Every structure is written in structure tokens, then in C-alpha cells.
Amino acid sequence: MTDLSELRARLRAAVRGEVAFDATARALATMDASNYRRVPLGVVAPKDADDVAAVLEICRERAVPVVARGGGTSIAGQATGTGVVLDFTRHMNRVLETDPDARTARVQPGVVLDRLQEAAAPHGLRFGPDPSTHGRCTLGGMIGNNSCGAHSVAWGTTADNVRELTVLTARGERLAPGRRWAGAPAGLRELVDGELARLRTGFPELPRRISGYALDALLPERGANVARSFCGSEGTLGILTEAVVSLVAAPRARALAVLGYADESAAAEAAAGLLPLGPLTVEGMAADLVPSAADLPRGAAWLFVETGGDTGAGARAAAEAVVRAAGVVDALVVTDPAARRALWRIREDASGTATRMPDGTEAWPGWEDCAVPPARLGAYLREFRTLLTAHGLRGTPYGHFGDGCIHVRIDFDLLTEAGVGRFRRFSEELADLVVAHGGSLSGEHGDGQARAELLPRMYGAETVALFERAKALWDPDDLLNPGMLVRPAPLDANLRFAVLPREPVPVAFGYPADGGDFAAAVRRCVGVAKCRTTETPGAAVMCPSFRATGQEEHSTRGRARLLHEMLAGEVITDGWRSTEVRDALDLCLSCKGCRSDCPVGVDMATYKAEFLHHHYAGRRRPAAHYTLGRLPLWLRWTARTRTAPALNALAALRPLAAAAKRLAGLAPERAIPPLARQPFTRWWRRRPQPGPDSGGELVVLWPDTFTEHLAPAVGRAAVRVLEAAGLRVALPPTRHLDRPPVGDGRSRLLNPVALLRGRGWVCCGLTYVSTGQLDRARTVLRRTLDLMEPVLETAAPVVVLEPSCAAALRGDLPELLPDDPRARRLADRVLTFAETLERHAPAWRPPRLDRPVAGQTHCHQHAVLGDAADRRLRAAAGLTGELSGGCCGLAGNFGFEKGHWEVSTACAEEQLLPPVRAAPEDAALLTDGYSCRTQLEQLAGVRGRHLAEVLAEGLGEGVGEPGDVWEAEARDADRRSQRP
């Protein structure tokens, strides 16, 4: 038995990179994107090849297995192991050299594919294979799995694009596999010479044969290519430390033909016929995987056929030739780069989207990527559907139709003994079906544990025995990734779901999409790791903390893995009290970006709130939870006592401010924002009020905490614009706590002067939710629903100006109070400012401003609310340009909490600040969220504005600087209120 403390000590003494045997590091590496889970002893992030050699030597002495891991997106289980896991993404992640003349690049195994593409692009070159995970998969992982991607019909598999490798064997030998037996281990040539007949006849010929070892690449007529033979070996033969790969010329122009067909079989049968036209891609998918809002040609299945050319006209002409040859129901040709990217995102997200059936049922990999000869794909798909039906299963195929490679997630029941048994029987029968069509069990993702047990059905026992002999020549001690490819574990062992609790754990949120089961919510994360993408994602938000730190535990996937292990109780043993989970969630900004950007809708903001609720139950909380989490309470007290001017003066004194921030748990680097001298509702009470019978459709303006106490100018501007649009504005009812309400429900609603005195304010509960004070949040929300009953008796929409508050009412409210029908009724009434104008004042036209814009779409608006109405309103006002995506980094309480300054500012620098700094002087800086405006003011010294403020300014009538008129009104109201 291995002495873990001694192993850890030896590794730390010998390795310059990080050595981590703690629960967090182990938990993060238990799974890849497959159905399997294996717990490692520890994780090492080597600095260089010498570190790798040291790990291999120490582990060999102790018979500890070693598993190489890149992005952890493998779908067959080969990136998991029970020994030491090597994480190459931390340090060995560079493009070392590009040679445009030779069209090659020299790379380290942990470099993400998109980084190689960026290095090659200035030379008009690219790496040909490009899996849909190109933003996070690594070259080492691609070589280990012989990955392919959408462009393999043009540029082949990874093995087709590898020139030379640098490899360390388990016994420390440094080899350089290449052609003509270069870098072969001793005895490999003799093994091949003795098996030439078997190697020439025992391997099916098809473009996507990935299963097993590629020993046929060692045939003399194929150049005895040891590097090519090494590709697809899944880390079982040697550890890759460098690779020289080929680059191809990137087309100067591209076009995309989207071809509509009656069903997937029709699309599959057409795919092979398009190959002679020389397309770059022939990808297929069916309607079940396509968002309902997608603008695709008519049909129930589609082929995405990309063409290239030296000019845009040439690429379009090639695409139009494809359409003429395709025999389609309908077709669309797209040349605009942004439109092409949007269509490709539909296809790339399928690996995550497919994990949910249309009715929300879970679906899983396991038979993710079989491949058959392209000409037989249509017939294979029909028989595949028949087999699914015979087993009572469902799945939606998609994938690389031009190469005969099909991806599919199937609604296996992997939680019960009966379901696992059916999974095994189906797998065996499907393997036989694939072989009957001359196919390969794996066409892209490798065999791993998912398919290696079935390799004898494809190759026969003798060829599989040959694989074992080859493995023994490279790795005689069976040290490297044991249990993969040869002598495999059963395909139904080590299933990652087996360790989860069988009964739902008690939780605060309703989790309606997951049947109220927190474990099912956590299972949503299948590991495709879109959250680990680090290139600028346009409008996308997920995952800002990972993009700032680059650490797996700060990605949505990493946090989901830790929650999975918390529920499992093996690696993380203290449940909701886990410090490992708490620390990983600490840097979650609760931006909700994953709710929309994750292909399977993981909602880490909700999971974080749930965890904090349980973690601190009955215990003292961090100081910031009392100060920021209960901010509405403190601000209402300030307003009632009219102490805002005094508090602002005290906050301006640096020693006092520093002491206050220290006591309150706030970041010392942050300035304390000033409080409004006059809250929004006080201004509202003192303005001339329209009578109950005044014209215009009634809308109820929600006085959120930020608008009320910190940015009342936004509320005043919104009132002005809404009334200019012909709407009649009221505020929600309030009531005194010491005397009964005045009037009946309707008069209380329509007479704001009588209503807005005293206490009993509505609140969305946002700050309580974000700090996990869910019992308090529910109390606040129930009181709010009581107050809002008169509103719910009318047809009036509820206009919420602060996007985070609107998102809380739409999303958190019904999930925290799932048994109160009023919660859903209020959530359905909530509209943004732009939505209100579009739906309830459709004839109104905003003032024509004709100015460029810069700024940021609020992360909660992106994730929960949507910004289509805002875009249309900006366009109608002549506000041109795009707002950036991402998250501002302040994110409510997050950026104010002690210890978050560096991540908060890094998030702002990632997408918010650069376009604002580059904006022209006359640009309107639009940031509807109070946090975003505060971040801009504190980090860039500029004032962002709500869209309502910009439009109100455009109404004219003597408006000067933003807020001047309303501030003057506020001063007059204050003077009037102080007269005896």
C-alpha cells in the first residue's frame, strides 16, 4: 500500500511545479466529461519535461499509476485515474515556435488549441483538426485521443497532422517518435514484422477509425510512422512533452451552406454525395438539438457545409454549388462572419445541449462517437434508431456526417441496477451493429473505459492480444493509464453517479427543472468545460472568475465537481460544512452567466446561495454578510433617520472609512459609495401627483434598493420617460406597521402619496440570496408578496430598473417560494424598462440621439432577462454600436468584499474597461446596473448611465448635465420638508 505522505514529500522535493494531494485537487480530477469517476492520489502540474521524468521515476518505484490530463474534456473516461494525475494546462501550455515556411508549429501538451490557432493566424495558417471544444481542449489531449473536429473532411484527424513527438516512457527513456521507425521502443519493429498479414487485413478502412492502437501505421508501405501510431493511445504508451505539428493554409474567405432535410437519415444519405465538391465541413444535426429561436431553413434535420475560397465571391459560389447538388427541402447560404459564428455555435453547443432530452430528461455519453463508412451512414442511423426503440431508449444523433461519425447522448438510467444492466446490453448490441456496418466503435473521442471492453467484437481476440503486446513494449510495468485500451475495466464499473445519494437532500430552492433534487442539479455539469474558455466570447459572460484566475476550482465545472464530491462524501467528507467547497465558491461572482452560457444550464449562482445557506446555518457569518447582505435594512434605517449627509461626510474621512471597512469586512481598496440625500420614493411623494383618473396605461415602478438609496436619478429619469411615453406610473403599495392601510386595494395602489409613508417596503431579496441568507430572503419575499397583492389584482406590469433585482424576481422568487402561486404571478409581471416601453407604449418613439454607445450589458440581463428589447430601443433612439459582454467584476456584494479586489478588477479589465477607454468622447456610456456604474466610476473615473437617464436627457426642456434637474428638485423638496 502506498504511503501517501511519503509519496507527496518525495514529489515535492523533486518537482518544481505544484504538487497537490489535498481534497480540492483530488476532487477536481475525479471526472472528465464521461460517465466515469476515479479518485486520484494527487495532482502534479509539471513545469517541464524534467518534472515529468521525476514524477515517472518516483511513481515507478512505488508502482503508482500516472495519468496525463489536458483540458479534462474526454468523453470515454481516459482522463481519470487512481494514481498521480499530470495537469499540463498550468505550465506546459505554450506554443514554442511557429515556422511558416515549413508550415509547422512546436507546442507543449497543455496548450489550448485556440492559442495555437491564434499563433498561426498571422501567417495565414491554422491547425486543421478543430473539435467543438477548441476553446479548452489541449494539443496533448487531442494527440492522446486522435481528435478530429468538424474540418476533418478537409484536413484529416490529429494523427494526419503530426510530424514528430517528444515522449517520455514510464521507465524514463526519452524518445522522438516520427517516420521510418524513428523513436520506436525496442522490439516494436520486430513485433510488426511478425504480424504484417494481420496488420494489413485486420483494420477497417474508414476516415474515422480511432479505436484501438493504430499499429497499421507502422506498416512499411505507410512509412513506419511511429508518431502516427502513438496518436490515439490515450496516454497508455508514453507521456508527451512536446509535439511538432503540421499547419494548413486557412481559406481567405468562407461561406456556410445550411441545408434542410426531412429527417436525419435523409441528411446522412446526402452527406457522402457532397464530398466530391471539396467542402471544409459536412456536419449534421436534427431539430431536437436546435434552439427554437434559431433562424434555420425549413426542415427537421440540417447539414452545415462550409466552403472556402480566395475571395468571398468564390466561397459563396462554392456554397451555392453545394446547395444545387444537395437535394434539399430548403437552404441558406451565409457569408457574414458574425452570422456564421452564431450558426456554428448551435452545432458546437450540441455536446452539452444533447445531455438533456426535449422534455428535460437526462441523457448521457457512452456511445458518443461511433463511425461507419460515410456511404453507409443513412442505413446505420435507421438501424440505430430501431435498436434504441427496442431498448426503450431515446437519443438524438448529430455530428460529422461527412466522415460517417455520429455523436449521441442517450437517456440511459445509470442510477439503478436495472438501468445499468440495460446500458450494458445496449452497448454490446450496438457494438455488433457498428461492426456489421464496417465501422469503428470510436470515431473521435477514443475508447477509454466506455468502449475498450468491446474491442474484441471489432478486432477479434488475436488483434487485441497484439495491442497488449505493443503496450508491454512501451510500458512493461503497466504504469501509464492502466485500464484503458488493454485489460480494461468493465464499461459499467466506476460510474460517477453511483456515489451520489439516492434520495434528494433537503434544500431551500425548488429546482423545478431538476425535480427538486439538488443532486440532479449538480449532475447537469457533464464536463464539456465551456466555462474554461478564455478567449473573448463576445456577448457571453461565463465564467469570469476562471478567466481571471485560470484555476479549475474557479470554473463552473470545477465548482460543480466539488459539489458532486461533497454529495458523494468520499473525498470531501464534511458535507455542507466543507471548507473546500466554500473556498471555491468564494470567488464565484454570482453573475448567473452559466445559467445561459453553459450548454446544460448549470446555475452556479443558485448553487452557491444554497451552499452558503447550509454552510452557515446556526453559525457566525463573515462580516460582509451582515453589512452587504442586509444592505436594504441598513439603507432604510439611514433614510428614516435622514443621516445620509452625516454618513457621507464620515466616509470621506480616510481613517474613519478604513476602520469602518475593516469592521464591515469590506475591501480596503474600495471607496464607500455616497448615499443619496433624498431617496427616490421621498422625491416621488413630493412631486405633483396625477389623479387616479388621469389617462394612460398603469405601470408599477419597482423602487429597488439601489435606485431608492444610491441612484435615485435613475428612478426620476425612468418616471420622466415612462410618462412621456403616455404611461401612468405608480409605485408598489406600502403600509404602516402601526396603523392599518388607507383605502381599499385599488385606491392604495393608485394614490402613491397616501401609500408611500412609513414602513413595509417591497424588496426582491437579492442581497440576502447572494449571501445565502435564504430564510431571511423568504421572509422578505413573503412580505413583498403580501404588499403586492393589490398589484397582482390588476393587469399592471411591474417595471424593474435594476437588472439584478429584475432577475431575482423572475428567477429566485418562484424558486424560493415554489408553493406560493403569487410568486409565479409576480415573476411573470416583471419587465425591464425597455420591455415596458416596447409592450405598453408601442407607438411612442424615443428622442433621436444619434450617438455611439459603449458600456456593458448587465450579466443578469444577459443570463436571465434578455436584452433584445434594449437593443431595439437603442436603435430607435439612434444609439449605435454594441455593448460588451462579460461581467463588470463588482457584481453586487462580490467586489466590495475583502479579498476580492484583484479578481474584481481583473474581470473589469477583461471586457468592461477596454471598450470604454477606447470610446469616442461623444459616446453614451450605458450600464444599467448600479454595480457596473460603480465599477466604472471607481476604476476608470467615468460615469456610466442607465438607458433611462440617456433617454430622459434627450427629451430636452432645459436638461443640462445628467441629474441636474432632478437634483435641483430634490434640494427644493428637502428645503420644503424642513420648514416649520
Side-chain angles (χ1 to χ4, degrees):
M1 185 173 179
T2 303
D3 184 335
L4 289 184
S5 60
E6 191 268 342
L7 174 63
R8 180 174 59 245
R10 287 279 289 115
L11 288 170
R12 285 179 174 169
V15 171
R16 292 184 299 115
E18 291 83 7
V19 175
F21 277 56
D22 59 280
T24 296
R26 296 169 65 220
L28 292 171
T30 56
M31 292 174 278
D32 50 16
S34 71
N35 296 329
Y36 301 101
R37 170 185 178 272
R38 295 193 293 174
V39 179
L41 300 177
V43 179
V44 176
K47 287 269 190 182
D48 52 27
D50 290 339
D51 271 1
V52 176
V55 171
L56 289 171
E57 180 181 0
I58 292 167
C59 289
R60 183 175 67 252
E61 292 171 355
R62 291 156 182 79
V64 172
V66 177
V67 177
R69 182 179 172 103
T73 57
S74 294
I75 299 183
Q78 61 267 56
T80 66
T82 58
V84 170
V85 171
L86 294 176
D87 176 7
F88 287 104
T89 62
R90 192 79 59 85
H91 303 297
M92 297 179 68
N93 57 8
R94 292 178 295 146
V95 177
L96 299 173
E97 179 185 12
T98 56
D99 185 340
D101 294 328
R103 291 190 174 181
T104 60
R106 187 164 59 91
V107 301
Q108 293 179 312
V111 67
V112 170
L113 174 58
D114 276 359
R115 305 291 82 76
L116 172 58
Q117 305 292 34
E118 291 166 1
H123 308 293
L125 302 172
R126 56 163 291 145
F127 188 64
D130 57 345
S132 60
T133 54
H134 53 81
R136 57 272 192 198
C137 70
T138 65
L139 266 293
M142 292 178 66
I143 290 169
N145 291 343
N146 193 10
S147 300
C148 308
H151 290 89
S152 60
V153 293
W155 298 314
T157 71
T158 296
D160 295 319
N161 292 271
V162 166
R163 295 276 189 97
E164 183 178 302
L165 306 176
T166 302
V167 169
L168 274 167
T169 70
R171 291 191 171 180
E173 187 178 4
R174 297 177 188 251
L175 302 176
R179 295 178 63 85
R180 292 183 291 278
W181 293 110
L188 185 61
R189 184 168 188 172
E190 291 75 14
L191 176 71
V192 168
D193 288 343
E195 297 284 353
L196 292 176
R198 184 176 303 282
L199 295 179
R200 286 178 175 135
T201 61
F203 290 75
E205 290 293 333
L206 70 160
R208 288 294 193 98
R209 180 189 29 93
I210 305 299
S211 282
Y213 291 133
L215 297 182
D216 57 325
L218 299 173
L219 288 167
E221 61 267 29
R222 297 186 179 179
N225 193 330
V226 181
R228 186 184 182 99
S229 177
F230 187 90
C231 292
S233 59
E234 302 180 11
T236 62
L237 303 182
I239 301 297
L240 178 74
T241 59
E242 275 188 25
V244 177
V245 297
S246 298
L247 304 175
V248 298
R252 298 189 180 191
R254 300 188 192 209
L256 179 63
V258 184
L259 313 174
Y261 292 90
D263 56 45
E264 67 197 13
S265 292
E269 288 170 344
L274 301 178
L275 298 178
L277 298 176
L280 301 177
T281 70
V282 183
E283 299 289 290
M285 62 190 307
D288 287 350
L289 296 176
V290 176
S292 57
D295 188 14
L296 295 180
R298 289 179 295 112
W302 296 270
L303 292 180
F304 288 61
V305 183
E306 189 176 65
T307 58
D310 291 333
T311 65
R316 173 175 278 278
E320 291 171 345
V322 167
V323 172
R324 289 192 296 271
V328 293
V329 173
D330 193 10
L332 172 70
V333 173
V334 179
T335 56
D336 176 69
R340 284 193 293 108
R341 282 195 298 271
L343 289 168
W344 272 123
R345 275 197 295 271
I346 297 172
R347 164 61 187 87
E348 290 178 353
D349 283 350
S351 60
T353 308
T355 63
R356 293 277 159 169
M357 303 301 294
D359 63 359
T361 305
E362 293 171 314
W364 304 107
W367 282 94
E368 177 70 18
D369 66 329
C370 310
V372 299
R376 303 194 64 162
L377 183 59
Y380 165 74
L381 278 176
R382 283 190 291 272
E383 294 185 48
F384 170 76
R385 286 288 193 184
T386 300
L387 186 62
L388 279 176
T389 301
H391 284 269
L393 297 170
R394 296 174 299 162
T396 303
Y398 67 98
H400 314 294
F401 282 24
D403 274 335
C405 180
I406 294 300
H407 299 319
V408 64
R409 301 291 174 101
I410 300 172
D411 64 340
F412 297 120
D413 167 17
L414 299 178
L415 301 174
T416 68
E417 185 177 347
V420 172
R422 180 167 58 172
F423 167 62
R424 166 170 282 282
R425 291 191 298 274
F426 174 83
S427 299
E428 292 168 345
E429 292 181 31
L430 182 56
D432 291 338
L433 177 63
V434 171
V435 172
H437 281 273
S440 174
L441 303 184
S442 171
E444 180 166 26
H445 296 143
D447 298 309
Q449 187 175 343
R451 288 172 286 271
E453 183 190 357
L454 301 172
L455 285 176
R457 294 172 183 258
M458 175 179 169
Y459 285 110
E462 293 82 1
T463 300
V464 170
L466 184 60
F467 292 161
E468 294 181 7
R469 292 164 60 195
K471 159 79 167 172
L473 293 174
W474 284 92
D475 178 23
D477 305 307
D478 200 17
L479 188 75
L480 302 179
N481 212 1
M484 301 297 145
L485 284 176
V486 300
R487 295 180 293 279
L491 62 87
D492 52 356
N494 304 320
L495 293 172
R496 67 187 177 109
F497 317 103
V499 295
L500 293 178
R502 286 291 171 261
E503 298 297 326
V505 297
V507 286
F509 283 95
Y511 302 102
D514 298 293
D517 186 355
F518 184 69
V522 171
R523 285 200 306 268
R524 280 181 175 271
C525 179
V526 293
V528 295
K530 189 178 179 183
C531 51
R532 281 179 55 95
T533 302
T534 57
E535 77 272 12
T536 300
V541 174
M542 181 182 72
C543 175
S545 51
F546 175 78
R547 295 162 68 82
T549 70
Q551 302 297 315
E552 172 75 7
E553 60 263 38
H554 300 145
S555 70
T556 304
R557 181 182 73 172
R559 294 173 177 130
R561 290 290 180 262
L562 290 169
L563 288 168
H564 186 286
E565 294 302 324
M566 180 195 80
L567 293 173
E570 179 183 351
V571 180
I572 295 175
T573 57
D574 45 0
W576 294 112
R577 299 298 199 198
S578 165
T579 56
E580 296 88 359
V581 178
R582 181 201 64 197
D583 292 347
L585 288 171
D586 180 58
L587 291 186
C588 171
L589 286 84
S590 297
C591 67
K592 291 187 179 285
C594 48
R595 179 170 172 144
S596 60
D597 296 345
C598 171
V600 291
V602 168
D603 186 356
M604 194 52 63
T606 296
Y607 305 169
K608 175 182 180 180
E610 184 76 63
F611 175 83
L612 293 176
H613 168 71
H614 295 279
H615 185 76
Y616 289 110
R619 297 204 292 177
R620 184 179 182 86
R621 288 173 167 270
H625 286 201
Y626 299 105
T627 53
L628 299 174
R630 300 181 186 181
L631 189 65
L633 179 66
W634 310 130
L635 292 181
R636 280 200 292 273
W637 176 85
T638 301
R640 286 199 297 270
T641 58
R642 299 180 185 250
T643 54
L647 291 175
N648 288 339
L650 292 174
L653 301 175
R654 289 187 178 181
L656 287 177
K661 285 185 282 188
R662 186 166 56 253
L663 289 172
L666 306 185
E669 302 90 346
R670 285 284 174 195
I672 299 176
L675 305 177
R677 292 187 312 131
Q678 176 175 246
F680 167 65
T681 53
R682 192 180 301 163
W683 168 85
W684 169 266
R685 289 199 304 269
R686 293 167 181 169
R687 72 189 292 265
Q689 298 294 327
D693 299 324
S694 62
E697 183 179 351
L698 176 68
V699 298
V700 177
L701 183 62
W702 185 273
D704 65 83
T705 295
F706 306 99
T707 300
E708 170 74 355
H709 300 288
L710 297 166
V714 174
R716 298 193 290 267
V719 170
R720 187 173 188 191
V721 175
L722 292 170
E723 290 183 343
L727 299 172
R728 183 161 48 98
V729 181
L731 267 61
T734 62
R735 60 171 172 258
H736 292 284
L737 298 183
D738 54 353
R739 64 172 182 255
V742 178
D744 61 19
R746 183 169 177 79
S747 65
R748 284 190 287 127
L749 175 64
L750 300 181
N751 186 354
V753 173
L755 296 171
L756 293 173
R757 291 176 181 165
R759 293 173 289 176
W761 300 89
V762 296
C763 179
C764 70
L766 170 68
T767 59
Y768 301 101
V769 171
S770 63
T771 53
Q773 301 180 71
L774 300 185
D775 289 335
R776 284 182 174 268
R778 283 188 290 224
T779 298
V780 166
L781 291 171
R782 287 192 185 99
R783 185 185 69 216
T784 293
L785 291 174
D786 292 341
L787 292 169
M788 290 295 290
E789 281 190 0
V791 175
L792 298 178
E793 293 169 5
T794 74
V798 178
V799 188
V800 185
L801 301 175
E802 175 63 38
S804 56
C805 295
L809 289 170
R810 275 199 193 169
D812 297 329
L813 168 61
E815 290 203 19
L816 275 173
L817 300 177
D819 298 327
D820 191 332
R822 300 175 302 171
R824 173 47 59 193
R825 287 164 57 200
L826 177 55
D828 291 343
R829 292 285 187 88
V830 170
L831 296 180
T832 66
F833 174 72
E835 288 172 338
T836 303
L837 291 170
E838 184 172 79
R839 298 183 193 181
H840 296 277
W844 181 72
R845 293 293 176 266
R848 189 75 188 179
L849 303 176
D850 295 321
R851 295 174 64 185
V853 297
Q856 189 169 51
T857 299
H858 194 285
C859 52
H860 288 188
Q861 181 145 16
H862 166 83
V864 180
L865 308 170
D867 68 340
D870 294 74
R871 290 173 177 271
R872 290 188 287 267
L873 180 57
R874 293 200 303 266
L879 295 170
T880 59
E882 291 293 323
L883 303 184
S884 68
C887 178
C888 72
L890 193 59
N893 57 292
F894 177 85
F896 276 100
E897 291 183 2
K898 183 179 179 180
H900 292 172
W901 169 259
E902 290 184 359
V903 170
S904 177
T905 55
C907 291
E909 291 289 354
E910 207 268 324
Q911 287 199 68
L912 171 63
L913 295 180
V916 167
R917 292 177 179 135
E921 289 187 6
D922 64 336
L925 301 183
L926 292 178
T927 47
D928 280 2
Y930 175 77
S931 292
C932 309
R933 296 193 296 273
T934 302
Q935 189 79 310
L936 270 183
E937 185 172 353
Q938 294 197 356
L939 298 186
V942 297
R943 183 176 184 270
R945 290 187 288 168
H946 194 286
L947 180 57
E949 293 181 278
V950 175
L951 294 181
E953 182 185 52
L955 292 174
E957 301 177 8
V959 177
E961 289 299 312
D964 280 355
V965 169
W966 299 291
E967 291 300 336
E969 291 176 359
R971 287 193 295 272
D972 291 342
D974 273 345
R975 281 194 295 270
R976 288 194 299 271
S977 68
Q978 294 165 8
R979 292 173 183 166

